[in-house]
């Protein structure tokens, strides 16, 4: 009885605790960010932009004013002493892009800050929790360090072989700290990639850093606070330099473009120790450092893998007192370029880990490990009772052959192999200077029996927050979304890559034009894509030509519109989704230069005559083909070039307006009008109300970019429906270019059910077909399981087109108003397509969390909504009239913070403020 009473008491306490936890959140200012980053170290912007979010109970909560304090120490901030900046009370509803306007910041400045807000409900907020940013080295003169390296190779290296082989370089330096330390900071750039150690401990949890760049134009450095890692007395600092993209992975190949080589690995490192007495000690990279290439990392190549010899480990190599008498003196080497900048997007890290689905033996001593998921990263291997000198080999692949051996034909020349030479006893290992795209691992040479407890998959990508969730009543849609999620994050590598497994892994522009937009609902990719825009500009030629790949590790300049147009499309996405206008202003001149270059070189009578790739990878007539040979399926290059050029003119007109370039705004508008006339004169067939040869891509793009006269829009969309349902039997017929506008354009023109059919098909060609065939990421080709293996990557994102955008904006109904960017005003118009019973989605926008959860039951539309504080929404509820709608069980007219605006077809349009809402539309159909 006593035990029973004790149990009841515990249960009661747990219930009370849960109720307390679940109560409505109190007013708070949170998620403080500087340059869209949380507590960044070493930024190189003297007047950064600040942002925050507000959570508040109730409805219709709006900020009316804010106050920011920025202090030079945590103690001063605690005492409300904003010695760097006290903004005072500023009347504004802005929580994004608030620029610091305090005391001019110098290199090495520490900035502690907090914010409070005033609200329209007259309640003052409490101060936010403190946040922090530090300034890096703003000026070249701040660097005392020298570029240091070892411009040579060694006996086991093969730097000029086709499959280059170069061992990692280990650098070390002893130093002494003889006084009480106030602060210690490291500024480091290790090219291609590095690991940093102090007194035997790795600094930071980053991998494969710094981000890849156009190394002959700019390189990045990273900043670490190492105050707690340095002891009074003797210390040592060490780095390991891997090759990354700096030292070429391939040499002398004729069947692929040559990969740029920037030289042997090198580093720039500056450790600054500030003591309590104000003195500063600097330990800098120079020729006094010691270096060896005779360490355990024998070879590292992003395509081919890593070889590690545990018998060559050097215990204590980064600790003081290590005997480095046999090491060489480091060399002073040439700087890779004149521009070194702070990396302003998150570092790559191990973001997830997965255990194998199965492990099975296919031959004596040979195992196949099935991770159950196509992933990107590497495998961690545990070994019990290893024998010194024996080798364990791990080969990676995305698929298996029918005989359960690895299918590697689609990897082309990439070896995708890690080799580990064991030491005696129990041990564990994983690589750090390569990565693989794989689901399957072939393990040979493992001592004893390999089990699922002995191997683990490490998922490695940019440390970007997952901001979106999405699920529906349709299992196919859910698997397609799952595949997209894994494919997208697997291709974030400090740049958005096309694939992670074969001898390519390049930042193809065309793959991410609208794809980046869909990705922004799932991941906080703002800073990653802002960085990539700089890569694109760095690859621009003097005459204005933009590359197909950025950074230009393949120097490909084919001059077309659809691929380089991503430059403008991504900049527009950053503004629309994140209210980040800076990239538009920063790259405006470069964009303008490109458009003028293309006009002057290739445009004739308003028609852009140049195209290179066409509607890349549209479904061919034969499942064994990569590209269609049927001219009726192929959209003309001049058509694609012209329709895209027109879209770029529209974007530039908007960019000019946003940035106050009034003269340019009119010039772009006038130019666009001329191109529109020429386009319709050339490509519109008025007798049949179709464009060019009537492909779905041709008609969709004309509709999407508002080139179709109003009088025939219904007929043009009818052509798309007819082509889709007859010639392609209800399946998709577009390639990369057409897919970027397909789903939204069908929906905007009354064909949401057809869009859903395309999204949920399970027969070829479709996204669902890939899933039915066992794909756990998205393929490069619609027929990726039957086409020539030279081009059938199992992990690509380019064919997603606007599918993910459509999931969030149209199925879930979460969309930013284009006039109030960054979800300051949310447009919510869910499409209750016939075959769906529910959609549940969330998106953590720059203003806060947005939720949409609808279901159809007994012909009622039941919809729960959450809108963040300091935002509003215009919502479209499926209904025959406003009178059939209730909110929280009450008529709309009686519901607080809900205003009926109008009927729009079969939707009632309402305005709401922040808060949680529950709408029901009775018998809405």
């Amino acid at each position: 009885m006593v035990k029973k009473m004790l149990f009841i008491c515990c249960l009661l306490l747990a219930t009370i605790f849960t109720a307390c936890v679940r109560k409505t959140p109190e007013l708070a200012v949170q998620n403080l960010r500087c340059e869209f980053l949380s507590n960044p170290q070493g930024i190189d912007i003297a007047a950064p932009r600040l942002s925050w979010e507000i959570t508040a109970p109730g409805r219709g909560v709006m900020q009316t004013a804010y106050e920011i304090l920025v202090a030079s120490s945590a103690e001063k901030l605690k005492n409300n002493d904003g010695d760097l900046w006290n903004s005072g009370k500023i009347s504004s509803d802005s929580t994004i892009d608030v620029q610091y306007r305090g005391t001019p910041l110098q290199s090495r400045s520490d900035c502690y800050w907090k914010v409070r807000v005033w609200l329209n409900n007259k309640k003052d907020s409490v101060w936010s929790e403190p946040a922090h940013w530090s300034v890096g080295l703003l000026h070249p003169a701040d660097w005392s360090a020298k570029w240091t390296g070892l411009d040579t190779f060694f006996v086991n290296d093969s730097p000029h072989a086709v499959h280059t082989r170069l061992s990692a370089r280990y650098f070390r330096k002893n130093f002494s700290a003889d006084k009480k330390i106030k602060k210690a900071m490291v500024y480091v750039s290790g090219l291609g990639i590095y690991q940093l150690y102090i007194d035997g401990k790795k600094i930071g949890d980053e991998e494969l850093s710094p981000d890849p760049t156009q190394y002959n134009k700019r390189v990045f450095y990273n900043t670490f606070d190492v105050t707690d890692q340095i002891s009074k007395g003797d210390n040592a600092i060490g780095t390991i330099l891997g090759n990354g993209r700096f030292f070429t992975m391939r040499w002398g190949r004729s069947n692929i473009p040559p990969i740029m080589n920037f030289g042997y690995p090198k580093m720039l490192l500056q450790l600054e120790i500030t003591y309590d007495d104000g003195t500063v000690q600097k330990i800098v990279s120079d020729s006094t450092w010691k270096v060896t290439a005779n360490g355990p990392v024998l070879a590292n190549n992003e395509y081919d893998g890593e070889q590690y010899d545990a018998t060559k480990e050097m215990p204590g190599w980064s600790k003081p007192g290590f005997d480095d008498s046999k090491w060489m003196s480091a060399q002073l080497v040439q700087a890779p370029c004149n521009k070194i900048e702070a990396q302003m997007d998150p570092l790559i890290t191990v973001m997830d880990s997965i255990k194998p689905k199965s492990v099975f033996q296919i031959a004596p001593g040979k195992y196949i490990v099935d991770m159950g998921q196509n992933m990107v990263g590497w495998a961690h291997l545990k070994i019990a009772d290893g024998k010194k000198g024996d080798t364990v080999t791990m080969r990676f692949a995305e698929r298996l052959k029918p005989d359960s051996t690895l299918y590697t034909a689609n990897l082309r020349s990439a070896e995708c192999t890690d080799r580990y030479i064991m030491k005696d006893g129990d041990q564990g290992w994983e690589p750090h200077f390569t990565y693989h795209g794989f689901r399957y691992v072939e393990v040979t040479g493992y001592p004893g029996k390999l089990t699922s407890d002995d191997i683990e998959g490490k998922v490695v990508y940019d440390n970007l927050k997952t901001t979106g969730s999405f699920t529906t009543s349709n299992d196919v849609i859910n698997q397609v979304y799952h595949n997209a999620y894994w494919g997208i994050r697997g291709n974030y590598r400090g740049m958005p890559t096309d694939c992670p497994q074969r001898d390519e892994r390049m930042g193809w522009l065309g793959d991410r034009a609208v794809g980046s937009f869909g990705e922004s609902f799932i991941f906080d990719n703002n800073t990653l894509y802002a960085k990539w825009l700089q890569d694109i500009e760095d690859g621009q030629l003097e005459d204005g030509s933009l590359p197909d790949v950025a950074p230009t590790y393949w120097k490909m300049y084919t001059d077309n519109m659809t691929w380089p147009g991503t430059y403008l499309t991504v900049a527009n996405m950053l503004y629309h989704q994140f209210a980040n206008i800076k990239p538009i202003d920063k790259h405006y001149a470069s964009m303008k230069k490109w458009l003028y270059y293309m006009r002057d070189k290739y445009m004739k009578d308003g028609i852009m005559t140049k195209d290179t790739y066409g509607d890349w990878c549209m479904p061919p007539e034969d499942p064994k083909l990569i590209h269609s040979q049927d001219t009726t399926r192929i959209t003309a290059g001049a058509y694609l070039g012209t329709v895209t050029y027109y879209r770029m003119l529209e974007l530039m007109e908007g960019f000019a307006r946003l940035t106050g370039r009034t003269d340019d705004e009119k010039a772009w508008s006038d130019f666009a009008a001329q191109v529109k006339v020429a386009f319709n004169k050339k490509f519109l067939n008025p007798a049949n109300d179709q464009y060019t040869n009537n492909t779905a891509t041709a008609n969709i793009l004309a509709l999407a970019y508002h080139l179709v006269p109003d009088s025939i829009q219904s007929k043009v969309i009818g052509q798309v429906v007819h082509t889709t349902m007859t010639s392609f039997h209800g399946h998709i017929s577009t390639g990369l270019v057409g897919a970027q506008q397909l789903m939204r354009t069908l929906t905007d023109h009354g064909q949401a059910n057809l869009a859903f059919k395309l999204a949920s098909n399970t027969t070829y060609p479709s996204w669902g077909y890939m899933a039915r065939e066992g794909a756990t990421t998205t393929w490069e080709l619609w027929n990726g399981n039957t086409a020539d293996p030279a081009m059938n990557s199992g992990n690509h994102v380019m064919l997603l087109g606007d599918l993910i955008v459509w999931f969030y904006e149209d199925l879930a109904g979460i969309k930013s108003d284009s006039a109030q960017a960054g979800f300051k005003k949310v447009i919510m118009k869910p499409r209750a397509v016939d075959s769906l019973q529910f959609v549940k989605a969330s998106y953590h926008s720059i203003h806060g969390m947005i939720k949409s959860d609808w279901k159809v039951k007994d012909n009622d539309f039941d919809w729960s909504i959450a809108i963040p504080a300091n935002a509003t929404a215009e919502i479209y509820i499926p209904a025959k009239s406003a009178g059939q709608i209730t909110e929280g069980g009450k008529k709309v007219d009686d519901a607080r913070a809900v205003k009926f605006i109008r009927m729009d077809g079969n939707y009632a349009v309402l305005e709401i403020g922040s808060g949680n809402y529950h709408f029901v539309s009775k018998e809405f159909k």
Side-chain angles (χ1 to χ4, degrees), residues 554-567:
W554 284 353
K555 297 192 76 66
M556 298 184 66
Y557 295 83
T558 62
D559 280 354
N560 64 99
M561 291 301 305
T562 50
W563 261 241
T566 299
Y567 190 24

Side-chain angles (χ1 to χ4, degrees), residues 153-463:
F153 61 94
F154 298 87
V155 64
N156 291 320
D157 294 338
S158 302
H160 300 297
V162 172
H163 292 246
T164 59
R165 178 186 173 93
L166 196 68
S167 51
R169 282 94 199 287
Y170 290 73
F171 293 82
R172 69 178 312 276
K173 171 81 172 179
N174 290 317
F175 66 94
S176 179
D178 54 4
K179 291 182 285 189
K180 188 176 180 181
I181 298 171
K182 180 180 180 181
K183 182 175 70 171
M185 305 294 291
V186 173
Y187 309 94
V188 57
S189 179
L191 305 177
I193 49 182
Y194 71 91
Q195 288 191 323
L196 174 66
Y197 292 81
I198 292 179
D199 292 351
K201 295 181 180 179
K202 183 178 179 294
I203 304 302
D205 58 0
E206 83 291 344
E207 302 284 354
L208 307 172
S209 292
D211 274 1
T213 58
Q214 191 78 29
Y215 296 117
N216 57 349
K217 292 287 185 71
R218 78 186 66 235
V219 297
F220 288 155
Y221 71 91
N222 306 128
T223 301
F224 299 97
D225 186 333
V226 294
T227 307
D228 295 336
Q229 282 72 44
I230 296 176
S231 305
K232 186 176 181 180
D234 293 336
N235 294 266
I237 185 168
T239 61
I240 311 174
L241 298 189
N243 303 323
R245 291 297 178 96
F246 194 76
F247 184 81
T248 186
M249 293 89 73
R250 288 291 179 271
W251 202 273
R253 284 288 299 278
S254 59
N255 60 333
I256 61 173
I259 301 177
M260 291 187 69
N261 181 40
F262 300 92
Y264 290 106
K266 58 188 65 180
M267 70 171 183
L268 187 72
L269 183 148
Q270 190 156 306
L271 166 60
E272 298 185 354
I273 304 172
T274 303
Y275 294 106
D276 270 5
D277 63 8
T279 59
V280 176
Q281 177 185 2
K282 294 183 181 180
I283 295 89
V284 301
S285 54
D286 58 20
S287 59
T288 65
W289 286 55
K290 302 302 287 291
V291 59
T292 185
N294 196 30
V297 179
L298 304 183
N300 63 103
N301 183 306
E302 287 193 8
Y303 289 167
D304 297 330
E306 182 172 325
Q307 184 175 358
Y308 187 96
D309 186 348
T311 69
K312 295 175 72 66
E313 288 179 342
M314 304 171 290
W317 73 271
S318 61
K319 292 183 177 180
F322 177 78
D323 182 5
D324 59 14
S325 60
K326 294 182 179 180
W327 289 30
M328 296 175 288
S329 294
Q331 299 172 349
L332 296 183
V333 296
Q334 185 176 356
C337 63
N338 294 325
K339 188 171 289 187
I340 180 166
E341 296 179 350
Q343 181 175 321
M344 295 295 291
D345 60 302
L347 304 175
I348 299 169
T349 60
V350 175
M351 296 292 287
D352 200 356
S353 61
I354 58 176
K355 296 296 291 182
K357 179 181 178 182
S358 65
V359 178
F360 54 93
Q361 191 170 9
I362 60 171
K366 182 180 289 187
Y367 296 87
I368 294 293
V369 179
D370 179 4
M371 289 295 173
Q373 170 64 53
N374 200 13
M375 56 167 283
V376 180
W378 50 69
H380 179 89
L381 194 64
K382 291 192 296 185
I383 298 171
D385 197 22
K387 183 179 178 181
K388 182 178 180 179
D390 286 355
T391 299
V392 179
T393 300
M394 293 186 286
R395 298 173 61 225
F396 300 82
E398 295 181 309
R399 293 165 51 190
L400 295 179
K401 295 178 182 178
D403 65 357
S404 294
T405 60
L406 296 186
Y407 175 84
T408 59
N410 69 323
L411 303 180
R412 302 196 295 221
S413 75
E415 293 179 355
C416 304
T417 301
D418 293 336
R419 293 179 175 87
Y420 176 70
I421 302 171
M422 291 178 278
K423 54 191 174 184
D424 286 330
D426 297 348
Q427 55 209 284
W429 179 76
E430 64 187 62
H432 292 281
F433 298 100
T434 190
Y435 67 90
H436 310 285
F438 67 100
R439 172 172 173 170
Y440 301 97
V441 191
E442 176 198 270
V443 182
T444 56
Y446 187 83
K449 181 181 179 181
L450 182 71
T451 71
S452 60
D453 292 330
D454 301 318
I455 190 167
E456 185 177 31
K458 300 289 188 177
V459 182
V460 181
Y461 62 98
D462 297 63
N463 190 1

